[in-house]
Amino acid sequence: MNVVDLLFGDLASLLSNAIIVVIVALMFVISLRLFLDRRKKGYMSMTISLVIVGIHYLLQLYLTLSGIDTSLTAYMLLMLKIISFILINMGIYQLYNRTNRKQYIFFYGLMIMGLVVSILHFSVPNMYNGTHEQVRLLQDIGLELYVFVLIFL
């Protein structure tokens, strides 16, 4: 094994996921400590989102090690990414602003909209004829575009 394999080979994703899991675990401890000391809603949202991010990367690490790569696992990973992204943004918003019912409706509406967009993931194989790889690439396009739109919202 050489350095190129660690940077660009199959081990690169394992190494990067393992490093990210350690960083997320440290961030979780810090966020939990801040929540317990200050009792702000923003820290609670960020703590929950860091748990989801940790589950996302642990699942990704497990799937890489076991070699499981199905459409359902890709869907689960993408939905975990969307939910954690929304919760992290909600937590940062709550740290500096008061949160009322309107903001909660907005943030939870974004999560529900993600679930609605995720229907495309399951309907694409019925709409398109092509090779398995082509259909697999098209399945997540709706959710990936939704994440792109979330960045600007």
Side-chain angles (χ1 to χ4, degrees), residues 38-103:
R38 298 186 184 162
R39 298 284 181 189
K40 290 185 92 174
K41 291 179 185 178
Y43 292 120
M44 182 179 68
S45 297
M46 289 205 288
T47 303
I48 293 169
S49 70
L50 287 170
V51 168
I52 295 171
V53 169
I55 291 169
H56 172 265
Y57 281 103
L58 284 172
L59 183 63
Q60 197 168 2
L61 196 61
Y62 170 74
L63 294 174
T64 304
L65 285 173
S66 65
I68 300 171
D69 187 25
T70 65
S71 172
L72 185 61
T73 57
Y75 170 77
M76 287 189 319
L77 289 172
L78 202 49
M79 286 306 295
L80 285 172
K81 184 190 325 181
I82 289 172
I83 291 170
S84 64
F85 182 74
I86 292 170
L87 283 174
I88 285 175
N89 283 310
M90 185 168 107
I92 292 170
Y93 179 83
Q94 287 174 333
L95 284 177
Y96 301 107
N97 300 301
R98 295 181 64 91
T99 310
N100 58 24
R101 177 178 266 179
K102 188 177 181 181
Q103 279 85 22

Short mmCIF file of all heavy atoms in Angstrom, two decimals, residues 38-103:
data_model
loop_
_atom_site.label_atom_id
_atom_site.label_comp_id
_atom_site.label_asym_id
_atom_site.label_seq_id
_atom_site.Cartn_x
_atom_site.Cartn_y
_atom_site.Cartn_z
N ARG A 38 -26.24 26.09 28.83
CA ARG A 38 -26.96 27.31 28.47
C ARG A 38 -28.45 27.12 28.18
O ARG A 38 -29.19 28.08 28.12
CB ARG A 38 -26.30 27.95 27.26
CG ARG A 38 -24.88 28.34 27.60
CD ARG A 38 -24.23 29.09 26.52
NE ARG A 38 -22.84 29.35 26.91
CZ ARG A 38 -21.90 29.69 26.09
NH1 ARG A 38 -22.18 29.82 24.82
NH2 ARG A 38 -20.69 29.91 26.51
N ARG A 39 -28.87 25.90 27.93
CA ARG A 39 -30.29 25.55 27.69
C ARG A 39 -30.94 26.37 26.58
O ARG A 39 -32.10 26.76 26.68
CB ARG A 39 -31.11 25.72 28.97
CG ARG A 39 -30.70 24.84 30.10
CD ARG A 39 -31.19 23.47 29.85
NE ARG A 39 -30.80 22.62 30.98
CZ ARG A 39 -30.93 21.35 30.98
NH1 ARG A 39 -31.44 20.74 29.95
NH2 ARG A 39 -30.54 20.63 32.01
N LYS A 40 -30.21 26.60 25.49
CA LYS A 40 -30.79 27.29 24.35
C LYS A 40 -31.28 26.28 23.32
O LYS A 40 -30.68 25.23 23.13
CB LYS A 40 -29.75 28.22 23.70
CG LYS A 40 -29.41 29.42 24.55
CD LYS A 40 -28.49 30.35 23.82
CE LYS A 40 -29.34 31.36 23.11
NZ LYS A 40 -28.59 32.40 22.48
N LYS A 41 -32.39 26.62 22.66
CA LYS A 41 -32.98 25.73 21.67
C LYS A 41 -32.02 25.46 20.51
O LYS A 41 -32.03 24.39 19.92
CB LYS A 41 -34.27 26.31 21.12
CG LYS A 41 -35.39 26.35 22.11
CD LYS A 41 -36.61 26.98 21.48
CE LYS A 41 -37.71 27.14 22.49
NZ LYS A 41 -38.89 27.79 21.92
N GLY A 42 -31.22 26.43 20.18
CA GLY A 42 -30.27 26.28 19.07
C GLY A 42 -29.28 25.17 19.32
O GLY A 42 -28.96 24.40 18.41
N TYR A 43 -28.79 25.06 20.55
CA TYR A 43 -27.84 23.99 20.87
C TYR A 43 -28.53 22.63 20.84
O TYR A 43 -27.90 21.63 20.48
CB TYR A 43 -27.19 24.23 22.22
CG TYR A 43 -26.28 25.44 22.23
CD1 TYR A 43 -26.51 26.50 23.08
CD2 TYR A 43 -25.20 25.52 21.36
CE1 TYR A 43 -25.69 27.61 23.09
CE2 TYR A 43 -24.37 26.62 21.36
CZ TYR A 43 -24.63 27.67 22.23
OH TYR A 43 -23.82 28.77 22.22
N MET A 44 -29.80 22.58 21.22
CA MET A 44 -30.52 21.32 21.15
C MET A 44 -30.69 20.88 19.70
O MET A 44 -30.48 19.71 19.37
CB MET A 44 -31.90 21.44 21.81
CG MET A 44 -32.66 20.13 21.82
SD MET A 44 -34.26 20.21 22.61
CE MET A 44 -35.15 21.24 21.49
N SER A 45 -31.06 21.81 18.82
CA SER A 45 -31.21 21.48 17.41
C SER A 45 -29.89 21.02 16.81
O SER A 45 -29.86 20.07 16.03
CB SER A 45 -31.73 22.70 16.63
OG SER A 45 -33.00 23.06 17.07
N MET A 46 -28.81 21.70 17.18
CA MET A 46 -27.51 21.30 16.64
C MET A 46 -27.05 19.96 17.21
O MET A 46 -26.44 19.17 16.49
CB MET A 46 -26.47 22.39 16.91
CG MET A 46 -26.71 23.60 16.05
SD MET A 46 -25.28 24.60 15.75
CE MET A 46 -25.00 25.36 17.30
N THR A 47 -27.37 19.67 18.47
CA THR A 47 -27.01 18.38 19.05
C THR A 47 -27.75 17.26 18.34
O THR A 47 -27.16 16.23 17.99
CB THR A 47 -27.33 18.37 20.56
OG1 THR A 47 -26.63 19.44 21.19
CG2 THR A 47 -26.93 17.06 21.19
N ILE A 48 -29.04 17.45 18.09
CA ILE A 48 -29.83 16.45 17.38
C ILE A 48 -29.30 16.26 15.96
O ILE A 48 -29.17 15.14 15.47
CB ILE A 48 -31.32 16.83 17.37
CG1 ILE A 48 -31.88 16.75 18.79
CG2 ILE A 48 -32.12 15.92 16.43
CD1 ILE A 48 -33.26 17.35 18.93
N SER A 49 -28.97 17.38 15.30
CA SER A 49 -28.46 17.27 13.94
C SER A 49 -27.11 16.57 13.90
O SER A 49 -26.82 15.82 12.98
CB SER A 49 -28.37 18.64 13.28
OG SER A 49 -27.33 19.40 13.86
N LEU A 50 -26.28 16.78 14.91
CA LEU A 50 -24.98 16.11 14.95
C LEU A 50 -25.14 14.61 15.20
O LEU A 50 -24.34 13.81 14.70
CB LEU A 50 -24.07 16.74 16.00
CG LEU A 50 -23.54 18.12 15.60
CD1 LEU A 50 -22.86 18.79 16.77
CD2 LEU A 50 -22.60 18.00 14.42
N VAL A 51 -26.17 14.22 15.95
CA VAL A 51 -26.46 12.79 16.10
C VAL A 51 -26.82 12.20 14.73
O VAL A 51 -26.34 11.12 14.35
CB VAL A 51 -27.60 12.57 17.12
CG1 VAL A 51 -28.11 11.14 17.07
CG2 VAL A 51 -27.14 12.91 18.52
N ILE A 52 -27.65 12.92 13.98
CA ILE A 52 -28.06 12.44 12.65
C ILE A 52 -26.87 12.40 11.71
O ILE A 52 -26.70 11.45 10.94
CB ILE A 52 -29.21 13.30 12.10
CG1 ILE A 52 -30.45 13.13 12.97
CG2 ILE A 52 -29.52 12.93 10.65
CD1 ILE A 52 -31.58 14.07 12.65
N VAL A 53 -26.01 13.41 11.76
CA VAL A 53 -24.80 13.42 10.93
C VAL A 53 -23.90 12.24 11.30
O VAL A 53 -23.34 11.56 10.43
CB VAL A 53 -24.04 14.76 11.06
CG1 VAL A 53 -22.67 14.68 10.42
CG2 VAL A 53 -24.83 15.88 10.45
N GLY A 54 -23.76 11.98 12.60
CA GLY A 54 -22.96 10.85 13.04
C GLY A 54 -23.52 9.53 12.54
O GLY A 54 -22.77 8.66 12.07
N ILE A 55 -24.84 9.37 12.62
CA ILE A 55 -25.47 8.16 12.10
C ILE A 55 -25.23 8.04 10.60
O ILE A 55 -24.94 6.96 10.09
CB ILE A 55 -26.98 8.17 12.42
CG1 ILE A 55 -27.20 7.99 13.92
CG2 ILE A 55 -27.72 7.08 11.65
CD1 ILE A 55 -28.62 8.23 14.37
N HIS A 56 -25.33 9.17 9.90
CA HIS A 56 -25.10 9.19 8.45
C HIS A 56 -23.71 8.66 8.11
O HIS A 56 -23.55 7.78 7.25
CB HIS A 56 -25.30 10.61 7.93
CG HIS A 56 -24.91 10.79 6.51
ND1 HIS A 56 -23.67 11.25 6.13
CD2 HIS A 56 -25.60 10.60 5.36
CE1 HIS A 56 -23.60 11.31 4.82
NE2 HIS A 56 -24.76 10.93 4.33
N TYR A 57 -22.69 9.19 8.78
CA TYR A 57 -21.32 8.78 8.44
C TYR A 57 -20.98 7.39 8.95
O TYR A 57 -20.22 6.67 8.31
CB TYR A 57 -20.30 9.81 8.93
CG TYR A 57 -20.24 10.99 7.99
CD1 TYR A 57 -20.86 12.18 8.30
CD2 TYR A 57 -19.59 10.88 6.77
CE1 TYR A 57 -20.83 13.25 7.42
CE2 TYR A 57 -19.55 11.95 5.89
CZ TYR A 57 -20.17 13.12 6.22
OH TYR A 57 -20.15 14.16 5.35
N LEU A 58 -21.54 6.99 10.10
CA LEU A 58 -21.32 5.62 10.56
C LEU A 58 -21.98 4.62 9.61
O LEU A 58 -21.41 3.57 9.30
CB LEU A 58 -21.87 5.43 11.97
CG LEU A 58 -21.03 6.03 13.10
CD1 LEU A 58 -21.79 5.95 14.42
CD2 LEU A 58 -19.70 5.34 13.20
N LEU A 59 -23.18 4.96 9.13
CA LEU A 59 -23.86 4.10 8.15
C LEU A 59 -23.08 4.04 6.85
O LEU A 59 -22.92 2.97 6.26
CB LEU A 59 -25.28 4.60 7.91
CG LEU A 59 -26.15 3.78 6.96
CD1 LEU A 59 -26.39 2.39 7.53
CD2 LEU A 59 -27.48 4.49 6.74
N GLN A 60 -22.57 5.18 6.43
CA GLN A 60 -21.77 5.21 5.20
C GLN A 60 -20.49 4.38 5.36
O GLN A 60 -20.09 3.66 4.45
CB GLN A 60 -21.43 6.66 4.87
CG GLN A 60 -20.98 6.88 3.46
CD GLN A 60 -20.94 8.36 3.11
OE1 GLN A 60 -21.22 9.22 3.93
NE2 GLN A 60 -20.58 8.64 1.89
N LEU A 61 -19.88 4.46 6.53
CA LEU A 61 -18.69 3.67 6.81
C LEU A 61 -19.02 2.18 6.81
O LEU A 61 -18.30 1.37 6.20
CB LEU A 61 -18.11 4.09 8.16
CG LEU A 61 -16.71 3.69 8.52
CD1 LEU A 61 -15.71 4.29 7.54
CD2 LEU A 61 -16.38 4.17 9.92
N TYR A 62 -20.12 1.81 7.44
CA TYR A 62 -20.54 0.41 7.47
C TYR A 62 -20.85 -0.11 6.07
O TYR A 62 -20.45 -1.21 5.70
CB TYR A 62 -21.77 0.25 8.38
CG TYR A 62 -22.41 -1.10 8.28
CD1 TYR A 62 -21.81 -2.21 8.86
CD2 TYR A 62 -23.58 -1.28 7.58
CE1 TYR A 62 -22.37 -3.47 8.76
CE2 TYR A 62 -24.16 -2.53 7.47
CZ TYR A 62 -23.56 -3.62 8.06
OH TYR A 62 -24.13 -4.85 7.96
N LEU A 63 -21.57 0.69 5.28
CA LEU A 63 -21.93 0.26 3.93
C LEU A 63 -20.71 0.12 3.04
O LEU A 63 -20.65 -0.77 2.19
CB LEU A 63 -22.93 1.24 3.31
CG LEU A 63 -24.30 1.29 3.97
CD1 LEU A 63 -25.15 2.40 3.36
CD2 LEU A 63 -25.01 -0.04 3.88
N THR A 64 -19.72 0.98 3.23
CA THR A 64 -18.48 0.86 2.46
C THR A 64 -17.71 -0.40 2.84
O THR A 64 -17.20 -1.11 1.97
CB THR A 64 -17.59 2.10 2.69
OG1 THR A 64 -18.33 3.27 2.35
CG2 THR A 64 -16.34 2.04 1.84
N LEU A 65 -17.66 -0.69 4.13
CA LEU A 65 -16.94 -1.88 4.58
C LEU A 65 -17.65 -3.17 4.19
O LEU A 65 -17.00 -4.16 3.84
CB LEU A 65 -16.77 -1.84 6.10
CG LEU A 65 -15.72 -0.88 6.63
CD1 LEU A 65 -15.78 -0.81 8.15
CD2 LEU A 65 -14.34 -1.27 6.17
N SER A 66 -18.98 -3.16 4.22
CA SER A 66 -19.72 -4.39 3.91
C SER A 66 -19.96 -4.56 2.42
O SER A 66 -20.34 -5.65 1.99
CB SER A 66 -21.05 -4.40 4.66
OG SER A 66 -21.88 -3.36 4.20
N GLY A 67 -19.79 -3.51 1.65
CA GLY A 67 -19.98 -3.61 0.20
C GLY A 67 -21.43 -3.53 -0.23
O GLY A 67 -21.75 -3.81 -1.38
N ILE A 68 -22.33 -3.16 0.67
CA ILE A 68 -23.74 -3.02 0.33
C ILE A 68 -23.94 -1.69 -0.37
O ILE A 68 -23.57 -0.64 0.15
CB ILE A 68 -24.62 -3.09 1.60
CG1 ILE A 68 -24.43 -4.41 2.31
CG2 ILE A 68 -26.08 -2.87 1.24
CD1 ILE A 68 -25.09 -4.48 3.67
N ASP A 69 -24.52 -1.74 -1.55
CA ASP A 69 -24.77 -0.51 -2.31
C ASP A 69 -26.08 -0.67 -3.06
O ASP A 69 -26.10 -1.11 -4.20
CB ASP A 69 -23.61 -0.24 -3.27
CG ASP A 69 -23.75 1.11 -3.95
OD1 ASP A 69 -24.41 2.00 -3.38
OD2 ASP A 69 -23.19 1.27 -5.05
N THR A 70 -27.17 -0.33 -2.40
CA THR A 70 -28.48 -0.45 -3.02
C THR A 70 -29.11 0.92 -3.17
O THR A 70 -28.63 1.91 -2.61
CB THR A 70 -29.41 -1.36 -2.19
OG1 THR A 70 -29.65 -0.73 -0.93
CG2 THR A 70 -28.80 -2.73 -1.98
N SER A 71 -30.20 0.96 -3.87
CA SER A 71 -30.92 2.21 -4.05
C SER A 71 -31.50 2.71 -2.73
O SER A 71 -31.51 3.90 -2.46
CB SER A 71 -32.04 1.98 -5.07
OG SER A 71 -32.87 3.10 -5.15
N LEU A 72 -31.94 1.78 -1.90
CA LEU A 72 -32.53 2.15 -0.61
C LEU A 72 -31.48 2.75 0.33
O LEU A 72 -31.77 3.72 1.04
CB LEU A 72 -33.21 0.95 0.04
CG LEU A 72 -33.96 1.21 1.32
CD1 LEU A 72 -35.10 2.20 1.07
CD2 LEU A 72 -34.53 -0.08 1.88
N THR A 73 -30.29 2.21 0.33
CA THR A 73 -29.24 2.77 1.19
C THR A 73 -28.83 4.16 0.72
O THR A 73 -28.59 5.04 1.54
CB THR A 73 -28.01 1.84 1.25
OG1 THR A 73 -27.52 1.63 -0.07
CG2 THR A 73 -28.34 0.53 1.91
N ALA A 74 -28.78 4.35 -0.59
CA ALA A 74 -28.46 5.69 -1.11
C ALA A 74 -29.55 6.68 -0.72
O ALA A 74 -29.27 7.83 -0.36
CB ALA A 74 -28.31 5.64 -2.62
N TYR A 75 -30.80 6.23 -0.78
CA TYR A 75 -31.93 7.08 -0.39
C TYR A 75 -31.85 7.44 1.09
O TYR A 75 -32.02 8.60 1.46
CB TYR A 75 -33.25 6.35 -0.69
CG TYR A 75 -34.46 7.02 -0.12
CD1 TYR A 75 -35.00 8.14 -0.71
CD2 TYR A 75 -35.08 6.53 1.03
CE1 TYR A 75 -36.10 8.77 -0.18
CE2 TYR A 75 -36.18 7.14 1.55
CZ TYR A 75 -36.70 8.26 0.95
OH TYR A 75 -37.80 8.88 1.48
N MET A 76 -31.56 6.46 1.95
CA MET A 76 -31.47 6.73 3.39
C MET A 76 -30.35 7.72 3.69
O MET A 76 -30.52 8.63 4.50
CB MET A 76 -31.25 5.43 4.16
CG MET A 76 -32.45 4.55 4.23
SD MET A 76 -32.30 3.13 5.34
CE MET A 76 -30.67 2.53 5.04
N LEU A 77 -29.20 7.54 3.06
CA LEU A 77 -28.08 8.45 3.29
C LEU A 77 -28.41 9.87 2.86
O LEU A 77 -28.08 10.83 3.56
CB LEU A 77 -26.83 7.94 2.56
CG LEU A 77 -26.17 6.69 3.12
CD1 LEU A 77 -25.07 6.21 2.20
CD2 LEU A 77 -25.62 6.96 4.51
N LEU A 78 -29.08 10.00 1.74
CA LEU A 78 -29.43 11.33 1.25
C LEU A 78 -30.48 12.00 2.14
O LEU A 78 -30.40 13.20 2.41
CB LEU A 78 -29.92 11.24 -0.19
CG LEU A 78 -29.85 12.49 -1.03
CD1 LEU A 78 -28.49 13.15 -0.95
CD2 LEU A 78 -30.16 12.17 -2.48
N MET A 79 -31.46 11.24 2.62
CA MET A 79 -32.47 11.81 3.50
C MET A 79 -31.87 12.21 4.85
O MET A 79 -32.22 13.26 5.41
CB MET A 79 -33.63 10.83 3.71
CG MET A 79 -34.54 10.70 2.51
SD MET A 79 -35.22 12.27 1.92
CE MET A 79 -36.22 12.78 3.30
N LEU A 80 -30.94 11.43 5.37
CA LEU A 80 -30.25 11.81 6.61
C LEU A 80 -29.46 13.10 6.41
O LEU A 80 -29.42 13.96 7.28
CB LEU A 80 -29.31 10.69 7.07
CG LEU A 80 -29.97 9.47 7.70
CD1 LEU A 80 -28.94 8.37 7.93
CD2 LEU A 80 -30.65 9.83 9.00
N LYS A 81 -28.84 13.24 5.23
CA LYS A 81 -28.09 14.45 4.92
C LYS A 81 -29.01 15.67 4.88
O LYS A 81 -28.68 16.72 5.43
CB LYS A 81 -27.36 14.29 3.59
CG LYS A 81 -26.48 15.46 3.25
CD LYS A 81 -25.91 15.50 1.85
CE LYS A 81 -25.56 14.22 1.22
NZ LYS A 81 -24.99 14.37 -0.13
N ILE A 82 -30.17 15.53 4.26
CA ILE A 82 -31.11 16.64 4.13
C ILE A 82 -31.64 17.05 5.50
O ILE A 82 -31.66 18.24 5.85
CB ILE A 82 -32.26 16.27 3.18
CG1 ILE A 82 -31.76 16.21 1.74
CG2 ILE A 82 -33.41 17.26 3.28
CD1 ILE A 82 -32.75 15.66 0.75
N ILE A 83 -32.06 16.08 6.30
CA ILE A 83 -32.63 16.40 7.62
C ILE A 83 -31.58 17.04 8.52
O ILE A 83 -31.86 18.03 9.20
CB ILE A 83 -33.23 15.13 8.25
CG1 ILE A 83 -34.47 14.70 7.47
CG2 ILE A 83 -33.57 15.35 9.72
CD1 ILE A 83 -35.01 13.35 7.83
N SER A 84 -30.37 16.51 8.52
CA SER A 84 -29.33 17.10 9.36
C SER A 84 -28.95 18.50 8.88
O SER A 84 -28.70 19.39 9.70
CB SER A 84 -28.10 16.20 9.42
OG SER A 84 -27.50 16.09 8.15
N PHE A 85 -28.93 18.72 7.58
CA PHE A 85 -28.62 20.04 7.04
C PHE A 85 -29.66 21.07 7.49
O PHE A 85 -29.32 22.18 7.91
CB PHE A 85 -28.55 19.98 5.51
CG PHE A 85 -28.19 21.29 4.86
CD1 PHE A 85 -26.90 21.76 4.91
CD2 PHE A 85 -29.15 22.03 4.20
CE1 PHE A 85 -26.57 22.97 4.30
CE2 PHE A 85 -28.84 23.22 3.60
CZ PHE A 85 -27.53 23.70 3.64
N ILE A 86 -30.92 20.70 7.43
CA ILE A 86 -31.99 21.61 7.85
C ILE A 86 -31.91 21.88 9.35
O ILE A 86 -32.05 23.03 9.79
CB ILE A 86 -33.37 21.05 7.44
CG1 ILE A 86 -33.51 21.05 5.92
CG2 ILE A 86 -34.50 21.85 8.07
CD1 ILE A 86 -34.72 20.31 5.40
N LEU A 87 -31.66 20.84 10.15
CA LEU A 87 -31.57 21.03 11.59
C LEU A 87 -30.37 21.87 12.00
O LEU A 87 -30.46 22.66 12.94
CB LEU A 87 -31.54 19.67 12.30
CG LEU A 87 -32.87 18.94 12.41
CD1 LEU A 87 -32.66 17.56 12.99
CD2 LEU A 87 -33.84 19.73 13.26
N ILE A 88 -29.24 21.71 11.32
CA ILE A 88 -28.07 22.54 11.63
C ILE A 88 -28.38 24.00 11.33
O ILE A 88 -28.06 24.89 12.12
CB ILE A 88 -26.83 22.05 10.86
CG1 ILE A 88 -26.28 20.78 11.49
CG2 ILE A 88 -25.73 23.12 10.83
CD1 ILE A 88 -25.13 20.15 10.74
N ASN A 89 -29.00 24.25 10.19
CA ASN A 89 -29.37 25.64 9.86
C ASN A 89 -30.39 26.20 10.84
O ASN A 89 -30.33 27.37 11.22
CB ASN A 89 -29.89 25.72 8.43
CG ASN A 89 -28.78 25.65 7.43
OD1 ASN A 89 -27.80 26.37 7.55
ND2 ASN A 89 -28.90 24.77 6.47
N MET A 90 -31.33 25.36 11.27
CA MET A 90 -32.31 25.79 12.26
C MET A 90 -31.62 26.12 13.58
O MET A 90 -31.94 27.13 14.22
CB MET A 90 -33.37 24.71 12.46
CG MET A 90 -34.50 25.11 13.37
SD MET A 90 -35.85 23.93 13.27
CE MET A 90 -35.66 23.11 14.83
N GLY A 91 -30.65 25.31 13.98
CA GLY A 91 -29.92 25.57 15.22
C GLY A 91 -29.13 26.86 15.17
O GLY A 91 -29.14 27.64 16.13
N ILE A 92 -28.46 27.11 14.06
CA ILE A 92 -27.70 28.36 13.92
C ILE A 92 -28.65 29.56 13.92
O ILE A 92 -28.36 30.58 14.56
CB ILE A 92 -26.83 28.32 12.65
CG1 ILE A 92 -25.72 27.28 12.82
CG2 ILE A 92 -26.23 29.69 12.34
CD1 ILE A 92 -24.94 26.98 11.58
N TYR A 93 -29.79 29.43 13.27
CA TYR A 93 -30.78 30.50 13.28
C TYR A 93 -31.29 30.75 14.70
O TYR A 93 -31.43 31.90 15.13
CB TYR A 93 -31.95 30.15 12.35
CG TYR A 93 -33.04 31.20 12.32
CD1 TYR A 93 -32.91 32.31 11.50
CD2 TYR A 93 -34.17 31.09 13.12
CE1 TYR A 93 -33.88 33.29 11.47
CE2 TYR A 93 -35.14 32.06 13.10
CZ TYR A 93 -35.00 33.15 12.27
OH TYR A 93 -35.96 34.13 12.26
N GLN A 94 -31.55 29.68 15.45
CA GLN A 94 -32.08 29.81 16.80
C GLN A 94 -31.06 30.41 17.77
O GLN A 94 -31.45 30.98 18.79
CB GLN A 94 -32.53 28.45 17.33
CG GLN A 94 -33.78 27.96 16.69
CD GLN A 94 -34.13 26.54 17.12
OE1 GLN A 94 -33.24 25.75 17.46
NE2 GLN A 94 -35.41 26.21 17.09
N LEU A 95 -29.78 30.28 17.48
CA LEU A 95 -28.78 30.86 18.38
C LEU A 95 -28.85 32.39 18.39
O LEU A 95 -28.59 33.01 19.41
CB LEU A 95 -27.38 30.42 17.96
CG LEU A 95 -26.98 29.00 18.32
CD1 LEU A 95 -25.60 28.70 17.79
CD2 LEU A 95 -27.05 28.77 19.81
N TYR A 96 -29.20 32.97 17.27
CA TYR A 96 -29.14 34.42 17.15
C TYR A 96 -30.50 35.09 17.01
O TYR A 96 -30.58 36.31 17.00
CB TYR A 96 -28.25 34.80 15.95
CG TYR A 96 -26.85 34.26 16.12
CD1 TYR A 96 -26.41 33.18 15.36
CD2 TYR A 96 -26.00 34.80 17.06
CE1 TYR A 96 -25.14 32.67 15.52
CE2 TYR A 96 -24.72 34.29 17.23
CZ TYR A 96 -24.30 33.24 16.46
OH TYR A 96 -23.05 32.73 16.64
N ASN A 97 -31.56 34.33 16.86
CA ASN A 97 -32.90 34.89 16.69
C ASN A 97 -33.89 34.14 17.56
O ASN A 97 -33.73 32.95 17.84
CB ASN A 97 -33.35 34.77 15.21
CG ASN A 97 -32.42 35.49 14.28
OD1 ASN A 97 -32.20 36.67 14.39
ND2 ASN A 97 -31.83 34.73 13.36
N ARG A 98 -34.96 34.84 17.92
CA ARG A 98 -36.05 34.18 18.62
C ARG A 98 -36.83 33.36 17.59
O ARG A 98 -37.08 33.82 16.49
CB ARG A 98 -36.95 35.19 19.30
CG ARG A 98 -36.25 35.95 20.40
CD ARG A 98 -37.17 36.93 21.07
NE ARG A 98 -38.28 36.27 21.75
CZ ARG A 98 -38.25 35.90 23.03
NH1 ARG A 98 -37.16 36.12 23.73
NH2 ARG A 98 -39.29 35.32 23.58
N THR A 99 -37.23 32.18 17.98
CA THR A 99 -37.95 31.30 17.07
C THR A 99 -39.41 31.26 17.47
O THR A 99 -39.74 30.94 18.61
CB THR A 99 -37.36 29.87 17.12
OG1 THR A 99 -35.95 29.95 16.98
CG2 THR A 99 -37.92 29.02 16.01
N ASN A 100 -40.25 31.61 16.52
CA ASN A 100 -41.69 31.51 16.79
C ASN A 100 -42.29 30.44 15.90
O ASN A 100 -41.58 29.74 15.16
CB ASN A 100 -42.38 32.87 16.61
CG ASN A 100 -42.20 33.45 15.22
OD1 ASN A 100 -41.96 32.71 14.27
ND2 ASN A 100 -42.31 34.76 15.12
N ARG A 101 -43.58 30.31 15.96
CA ARG A 101 -44.28 29.25 15.22
C ARG A 101 -44.02 29.33 13.72
O ARG A 101 -43.89 28.31 13.05
CB ARG A 101 -45.77 29.34 15.51
CG ARG A 101 -46.57 28.32 14.75
CD ARG A 101 -48.01 28.42 15.08
NE ARG A 101 -48.24 27.46 16.15
CZ ARG A 101 -49.39 27.29 16.71
NH1 ARG A 101 -50.42 28.02 16.38
NH2 ARG A 101 -49.54 26.37 17.65
N LYS A 102 -43.90 30.54 13.18
CA LYS A 102 -43.69 30.72 11.75
C LYS A 102 -42.37 30.09 11.29
O LYS A 102 -42.32 29.42 10.25
CB LYS A 102 -43.70 32.22 11.43
CG LYS A 102 -43.69 32.55 9.99
CD LYS A 102 -43.78 34.08 9.82
CE LYS A 102 -43.79 34.46 8.39
NZ LYS A 102 -43.85 35.92 8.22
N GLN A 103 -41.31 30.28 12.07
CA GLN A 103 -40.02 29.69 11.71
C GLN A 103 -40.04 28.17 11.84
O GLN A 103 -39.46 27.47 11.01
CB GLN A 103 -38.89 30.27 12.57
CG GLN A 103 -38.41 31.61 12.11
CD GLN A 103 -39.25 32.75 12.66
OE1 GLN A 103 -39.91 32.60 13.67
NE2 GLN A 103 -39.22 33.88 11.99
#
